Amino acid sequence: MKIRATEEQRARWHATAEARGVSLSELVRRSLDGVRAVRRRHQPRRVDPELLRELARIGNNLNQLARWANREKRGADAVAVVARLIELDRELAQLRRAHEVSAAPEPEPRRC
């Protein structure tokens, strides 16, 4: 079946189909048959508890810095804050490297 559509319409339809986890063909069939295309529920990813603990620790440090900076506005030692933020940035970079997962190959585009 062929239909006329602008590039913007096609892009929007493809995005809608992808967001709902179906092919464009399936989206069109369901739409024409009066069936609403529901989203597929994704299983939550399992996360390493050690990673969660590290992220919670870093988040706690950031909250402490934010509270301190808000409380000590008049004479906050900017150098100390920047130094700690640099430390946190390095910790996050180490954490990212330790938990890096190789990217999965991208699926081939679906034809309409």
Side-chain angles (χ1 to χ4, degrees):
M1 174 187 302
K2 292 184 181 183
I3 61 171
R4 291 184 200 163
T6 66
E7 288 300 317
E8 292 81 20
Q9 288 171 317
R10 287 181 190 273
R12 191 173 61 246
W13 296 339
H14 278 285
T16 300
E18 185 176 326
R20 293 184 180 171
V22 297
S23 68
L24 181 59
S25 299
E26 183 65 19
L27 179 71
V28 171
R29 278 193 298 275
R30 289 181 182 184
S31 296
L32 292 175
D33 289 339
V35 177
R36 184 180 166 122
V38 296
R39 294 178 186 211
R40 291 184 188 160
R41 293 183 185 229
H42 296 285
Q43 292 296 327
R45 293 182 181 169
R46 292 187 178 262
V47 178
D48 179 10
E50 184 62 29
L51 173 62
L52 291 177
R53 280 191 289 279
E54 285 293 315
L55 290 173
R57 187 181 63 76
I58 292 168
N60 184 41
N61 287 343
L62 287 172
N63 285 333
Q64 289 175 9
L65 278 172
R67 272 195 301 268
W68 177 81
N70 286 326
R71 189 177 55 243
E72 303 293 329
K73 289 178 184 173
R74 65 191 185 313
D77 184 3
V79 174
V81 172
V82 169
R84 185 61 185 129
L85 288 173
I86 289 170
E87 287 177 38
L88 288 170
D89 185 54
R90 288 179 183 149
E91 289 178 33
L92 284 171
Q94 287 176 337
L95 202 53
R96 266 193 307 272
R97 283 191 299 274
H99 294 277
E100 257 179 11
V101 177
S102 60
E106 300 225 358
E108 292 186 28
R110 295 179 177 151
R111 300 185 50 89
C112 56

